[in-house]
Structures are given as structure tokens and as C-alpha cells.
Amino acid sequence: MFISNQDIAALLSRMAVLLELEGANVFRVRAYQNAAALIDKLPHNLADSKQEDKALTGLPGIGKDLAGKINEIIQRGSFRQLEELEARLPKVLLELIKIPGLGPKRARALWDNLSLQTVADLKAAAGKGKIRGLSGFGPKLEEQILQGIAFYEANPLRTLWADAENTAHELCSYLKQIKTVAQVEAAGSFRRKKETVGDLDILAVCPQPELVMQTFLRHPHVEKVISHGSTRSSVILRSGLQVDLRVVLGKSFGAALHYFTGSQAHNIALRKLAQQQNLKLNEYGVFRGERQLAGKTEAEVYQQLGLPYIPPELREMTGELEAAAAGKLPDLITLNKLRGDLHCHTSETDGALSLEELALAAQDLGYEYLGITDHSQHVTIAAGMDEKRLRRQLKAIDQVNAKHKDIVLLKGIEVDIMDNGKLDLPDSVLKELDFTVCSIHSKFNLPEARQTERILRAMDNPLFTVFGHPSGRLIGTRPGYAVNMEKIVLGAKERGCFLELNAHPQRLDLTEVYCRLAKETGVLVAISSDAHSRQGLDALRYGINQARRGWLEARDVLNTRPLGELRKLFKR
DNA sequence: GCCGTTTTCGGCCCGACTGTTTTCAGTCG
């Protein structure tokens, strides 16, 4: 039985939910939540290296008790208390708390009083007016529950960051039109550049909060107002996305931006840090007693607490506070540090642009080089190239390179890794290329050990340069194949290969956890667009978002290197 | 359930908004 860190995290997280439903101490619940969040982000598989309790209790927030439970999960896939709790509590409660407006207390009260089996039962009860009579409930809550169920049934998925960005820009520029609005910024997980966002948090500075609120609620995309106060309102847009707006005064902007950006765990830790210094941190500022010491800017807030500014992408409680205190925060990579792109497709296979059109587009973007990597023959659905067509393309590349001196096209290919670990084209032709991107497009369902072995065998070939979209996942659509990424990162280090961070907004493949592991291991990451069109080239900035969340600096990234150095690195 | 340069017990971040209440609990972020 293979237990991933994500499996362990999911079980601990489930325990937290069940304990909440039981009315357990909130701090006990939080202990499970914290442990789950921590383990979810660990790069090393806990199940792989047989963990002594001692090693586990070395992790912050994991004591003797949790260590024991984690070991039990690793050994047998679950733990006794969880199973007992699951047996005791009905499954429907777990569904009920997914309905907005229903937390553990209300869910429990409804279940106790209405003998519910399903969410549909609750809907029926609400429809018949059976909820309003219950103690603590009234007609408005009954209506709220009905609407919550409708929202629950619509089952809105988390929104891709790239999609949320459009909405964020639209709403921010809309609010900026108000003359007295000095600043508007989208905060939350959006500002932390998470792969997906659950809702959008927008912060505005204005001395007339009511005016901002009224304008916001009148936006044509607002479908429903959930709450509306003098400094804070929540709405649901027609797209299904929830947006929270908060209005503050300029002197609190930094503190509010910090609070609204999160993550929640980072906020909690920082507020604790403030307490230790006899200070109070809230969304209005840093205070000693009644006196505000900081709050206008985020930098000021951190400074008051004795820390350097921590970029939003790092605020996930994965060591950023320790790094900040030690003056060891990374100098995160920015888009302008990239000198080129190492993964794109032309109309020779499934791209939209010809070789020359793509070259000109890259030249317009100011790139020094562009790696041409069309598909290999095995990907028939994308019209993958055989040896003959590839050789023809190489000649075409020579011609474009001769004609356009401001951009260098690199000869590459996205070559399939076959299920036996061989590459899809013979070495004799791959040898003529500058580099290869080697990817998996078939046999996703091999067991972990075989999938990992397949990739390592492929990497044994000295013509293997970059491992393309390493997990194969599509966010929200398809999980990745089972692969031991630790072994892959190590394997790449030993063989002189590189890992791709595929920047397509639905891939973002490597995850931040393995970006960081690659960095620590000393494996360079190629941030590549996988463009199939002119617009596709712009995806690099999404890759930069992800790379920053993975603590990557310019020196950790392959395509920040000038062409000459790049060519040397390609030679293994 | 975790944790400790005041602590091995008694704390654990802090505030806005809503609805049901007559002063506060629940939810959310």
C-alpha cells in the first residue's frame, strides 16, 4: 500500500472536520488542521523513509500523539480514532457543512432535530418551513439555507488563477473610477498566486466607504449580495465566483492588505509574534495599547515586528518567517529574468503558427532564443513527427535562423517517453538536436514504481534534456500519474537533466513543493510556455507565479541563462 | 493536541457581519 503525504494530510484534515462536528476544543481541531497543512507541503514522502516518532515530533506542531497517528496511517492506511469517529457521526454531516452558512454547530443542530439522511432532506425540510421553528433558527436562516443549497448544488469548482485575474482586473479598474478611491488591490490567495482561487478578496482605500460599497453592489456582474456592511461586503457574481470587498483608510492599508492576503496560518503566526512583543496586530495596524505604530504599508508592518518584507507568494508557513528572521529570504525570480522559452509547438504538429511566425512573435517579446519542440510520432492525435519530418523541420529552422538575426531558434522536440523507458525517436536523429523535452502522453495508470522506473530509464539516455510537465496533471480535470517525484528530482541531478515547470495555467506542473525540492537538490528548472499559439507564449508569467511560490530565484532557472551557457548545459 | 527565556498547566489571532437574540453565538476569512 502506498501512502502519500497528501493521503495523510487528507485523513488528518478529515479528523479535524469530524472533531469540529463533535464540538471538540477548537485548538485541538486546529492542531489537526495545522498538521495536515504541514504534511501536505512536505517534499519528502513520510511513508518512504520509515519515520521514527522522534523524527516526526521534530516537525513543528506534531507532538507524540499526532506522530503516533501518522505512523498508524503509514502502516495501515487509517487510524483508530478517525474510524471510531466516522462510525459515530453520520456522513450527511460532512456534506451539510459544505453548504455556505452552515458550520459544525448549525449542521449538528439540524441533523439532531430533523433526522436528515441527505442534503435533499434538508432542502425539503427548508421548503416546508420546518427549520424556522428550531431554536436558534428563524425564517431568514431558513431562506439562507435554501440559497446555500442551491449554491452547493451548482458545485462551483475553484477558479483557475488566470481566469480569476480577468475578474480581478475588471473589478479593480471599475472601483478605481470612483474619484475618492485612492488605492485598490486584489488580495487573498489570488495575490499569493495560488494555482486556483476559491474567492476573490478586494481591498480599497477611500474615506467614503459607503460610496464604494454602493458602487460595488451595483456592478452589472453582481448576482447576489451575501452580506453588506459599512466596511465589508460579500457578493456572488454571475460566474459563480464570490467576491469580498473591504474598504479601509489609508493609514491602515498595509495592515489590511496583509490581513486580507493571508494565508490564515501566516497571519496567525505573525499575530502571535506581535503578542510576544507586547504588540497587537490586526487589520488596522500594529498597536501598542491604543497607539498605532504601523499600518500604512505592509513593509512597515513587517518592520515593526522586526522582519523584512515577505513577498505574498511565500506566506504559506513553510519556513518564510524563519528565513525572514535569518535574513535568508530568496530573491524571487521575475519575468524579465527569462531570456527565452524552451517548449512550443508549430503548425507542423498541433500549433497554430508557422515556424517563422512563432520566431517573429518571440523576437517581438525580446527573447534571445526559442526552443522549437513539436510532438513526436507517437502522439498521432497531435500529428506527431517521424524522423523524416523532423529532419525537414531542422532544415527549416536553419533557414529561419539565417533570415532573422535577432532571435535564435533552438532545435528541439517534445519526444514521448514510451512505456519501456525508450524515447519515441532513434538516437541517430535526436543527436542532431540542441536539446529534447521528454514527456509522457500515454500509460498514465502505471503503478508508481513502474512509472518512476520508466522515467528514470528514459533519463539514462544522454539525449534526454528536460523532463516535460513532470506530473501530467490538469488542474481540476485530471490527477497526475503516480510517480515518486523525489526519486525523479534526484535522478535528474545525478544525470544532469532538468525539470520543466510547464507554465500553462491549467498545468503549472511542477508544483511549488517540487520546485523547492529541485532548488534544494540543485536541479535547474525550465519555465516553459508549451505554447500552441501567439497568446500561448504569454503563459510564462503564470509559470513565474508558480516558480515564486516554489522559492525559485533566477539562478535556479535554466532559461535565465544566456544562449552560450545554455548550450553547454544541454551537453550532458 | 501542542507548547514553554515568566509557564508542564493554561493558554492558543482577531475582527466583521448576520440573525436571533435582548447580549450573543455562529460563520467566515
Side-chain angles (χ1 to χ4, degrees):
Chain A
M1 176 169 47
F2 175 73
I3 306 280
S4 71
N5 289 349
Q6 283 64 43
D7 296 331
I8 298 170
L11 291 176
L12 295 177
S13 185
R14 188 175 178 86
M15 183 71 182
V17 171
L18 291 168
L19 282 171
E20 233 182 339
L21 283 166
E22 270 225 323
N25 180 314
V26 290
F27 299 104
R28 191 174 163 214
V29 173
R30 190 187 289 169
Y32 280 95
Q33 288 168 339
N34 286 343
L38 175 83
I39 290 169
D40 191 48
K41 290 170 191 158
L42 284 180
H44 310 288
N45 268 328
L46 290 179
D48 277 357
S49 47
K50 180 112 171 37
Q51 296 293 321
E52 297 300 321
D53 276 16
K54 212 188 280 175
L56 283 171
T57 51
L59 297 169
I62 309 245
K64 222 178 147 197
D65 183 280
L66 279 172
K69 282 165 183 153
I70 292 164
N71 272 326
E72 196 181 338
I73 294 173
I74 291 172
Q75 271 153 35
R76 49 176 287 265
S78 186
F79 59 102
R80 192 174 48 79
Q81 273 107 327
L82 177 67
E83 289 163 341
E84 285 173 6
L85 216 48
E86 281 186 322
R88 196 153 68 234
L89 291 170
K91 282 208 166 55
V92 64
L93 280 179
L94 292 167
E95 290 306 307
L96 293 182
I97 55 168
K98 289 181 189 163
I99 296 166
L102 288 190
K105 295 281 177 0
R106 285 175 186 157
R108 193 61 200 264
L110 291 168
W111 182 76
D112 283 344
N113 286 292
L114 297 170
S115 67
L116 304 168
Q117 302 287 323
T118 62
V119 173
D121 291 346
L122 178 64
K123 194 177 180 179
K128 288 181 199 152
K130 284 186 181 168
I131 288 175
R132 61 183 66 196
L134 302 176
S135 150
F137 292 84
K140 288 202 174 163
L141 266 178
E142 188 174 78
E143 174 57 25
Q144 203 183 92
I145 287 169
L146 275 173
Q147 293 191 7
I149 293 172
F151 190 80
Y152 165 86
E153 285 173 340
N155 193 25
L157 298 167
R158 287 177 68 88
T159 306
L160 284 183
W161 189 90
D163 295 334
E165 187 187 30
N166 293 328
T167 308
H169 280 169
E170 152 69 23
L171 288 173
C172 288
S173 50
Y174 171 76
L175 292 173
K176 276 179 191 157
Q177 288 168 12
I178 303 170
K179 286 203 169 58
T180 47
V181 166
Q183 268 169 302
V184 183
E185 189 120 21
S189 52
F190 174 77
R191 184 159 176 256
R192 302 203 311 279
K193 311 284 167 51
K194 297 270 287 182
E195 298 162 352
T196 61
V197 303
D199 61 10
L200 212 49
D201 304 294
I202 295 178
L203 184 67
V205 172
C206 183
Q208 304 161 280
E210 259 314 309
L211 173 65
V212 183
M213 287 302 170
Q214 291 303 336
T215 310
F216 175 58
L217 300 181
R218 277 204 311 271
H219 189 281
H221 289 172
V222 170
E223 178 160 295
K224 181 175 171 326
V225 177
I226 299 173
S227 72
H228 168 211
S230 56
T231 67
R232 177 175 205 156
S233 295
S234 293
V235 303
I236 292 181
L237 301 181
R238 284 198 306 232
S239 63
L241 188 66
Q242 179 173 330
V243 184
D244 299 339
L245 174 67
R246 180 108 187 207
V247 185
V248 297
L249 296 176
K251 65 177 179 180
S252 292
F253 179 69
L257 185 60
H258 183 268
Y259 152 73
F260 230 16
T261 296
S263 65
Q264 196 181 16
H266 179 92
N267 285 352
I268 289 173
L270 217 59
R271 286 173 176 195
K272 214 180 269 176
L273 196 65
Q275 278 186 333
Q276 288 164 6
Q277 303 175 32
N278 273 322
L279 301 170
K280 184 171 74 169
L281 170 63
N282 59 25
E283 57 262 55
Y284 299 104
V286 182
F287 296 86
R288 190 182 303 280
E290 297 289 301
R291 198 160 67 90
Q292 182 183 354
L293 304 177
K296 198 169 166 48
T297 66
E298 280 189 322
E300 193 179 286
V301 169
Y302 281 110
Q303 194 191 6
Q304 189 63 51
L305 299 175
L307 293 173
Y309 176 80
I310 300 176
E313 295 91 331
L314 301 185
R315 300 180 196 166
E316 303 288 349
M317 281 310 280
T318 55
E320 71 274 17
L321 291 182
E322 295 81 350
K328 287 182 177 163
L329 285 173
D331 178 16
L332 296 181
I333 186 168
T334 51
L335 183 60
N336 60 7
K337 292 277 175 29
L338 296 185
R339 289 172 184 261
D341 191 343
L342 296 172
H343 188 162
C344 67
H345 297 268
T346 76
S347 51
E348 176 64 29
T349 60
D350 58 349
L353 300 183
S354 70
L355 200 57
E356 187 165 18
E357 287 167 333
L358 210 48
L360 291 174
Q363 186 179 300
D364 282 348
L365 288 165
Y367 293 174
E368 198 175 319
Y369 47 82
L370 178 69
I372 302 295
T373 56
D374 270 315
H375 285 289
S376 65
Q377 57 195 7
H378 188 253
V379 194
T380 49
I381 194 159
M385 300 179 297
D386 58 14
E387 194 172 343
K388 206 168 140 196
R389 280 172 60 206
L390 176 56
R391 284 186 202 281
R392 207 158 58 211
Q393 190 182 52
L394 298 185
K395 276 188 191 150
I397 290 175
D398 283 333
Q399 286 165 5
V400 174
N401 275 338
K403 191 169 162 193
H404 302 285
K405 293 297 179 191
D406 289 335
I407 177 86
V408 173
L409 295 186
L410 292 169
K411 295 172 180 169
I413 187 164
E414 183 178 16
V415 60
D416 263 47
I417 299 172
M418 310 308 282
D419 60 356
N420 60 6
K422 291 222 157 59
L423 298 179
D424 184 27
L425 287 171
D427 288 358
S428 55
V429 65
L430 296 179
K431 233 183 259 177
E432 296 174 32
L433 304 173
D434 294 309
F435 77 112
T436 59
V437 173
C438 304
S439 308
I440 285 180
H441 293 113
S442 64
K443 296 268 174 135
F444 278 37
N445 55 359
L446 293 180
E448 194 210 47
R450 273 194 62 197
Q451 195 71 280
T452 305
E453 192 57 24
R454 170 192 191 180
I455 297 159
L456 290 173
R457 288 294 71 79
M459 281 184 174
D460 285 340
N461 186 332
L463 298 169
F464 185 120
T465 319
V466 180
F467 183 28
H469 44 71
S471 86
R473 65 138 179 205
L474 292 177
I475 297 169
T477 305
R478 180 177 83 195
Y481 25 81
V483 61
N484 185 325
M485 206 58 84
E486 267 184 274
K487 287 188 182 162
I488 297 300
V489 172
L490 209 59
K493 172 68 181 171
E494 288 163 359
R495 294 166 179 79
C497 312
F498 309 99
L499 298 181
E500 179 178 86
L501 193 187
N502 191 297
H504 189 284
Q506 207 183 352
R507 287 190 182 270
L508 297 175
D509 188 3
L510 293 179
T511 61
E512 79 279 16
V513 172
Y514 295 117
C515 282
R516 213 166 153 185
L517 182 64
K519 173 197 178 100
E520 284 162 8
T521 310
V523 174
L524 294 184
V525 173
I527 301 177
S528 303
S529 72
D530 201 354
H532 288 70
S533 64
R534 164 62 193 84
Q535 209 190 2
L537 290 170
D538 294 331
L540 284 185
R541 58 199 199 84
Y542 307 124
I544 292 289
N545 288 347
Q546 182 87 336
R548 289 171 63 89
R549 294 197 319 113
W551 293 52
L552 296 191
E553 307 182 64
R555 62 177 176 202
D556 303 316
V557 174
L558 183 62
N559 45 326
T560 58
R561 306 302 163 99
L563 184 58
E565 200 180 325
L566 190 68
R567 285 191 192 278
K568 276 183 209 150
L569 286 164
F570 283 162
K571 301 268 177 248
R572 284 174 49 181

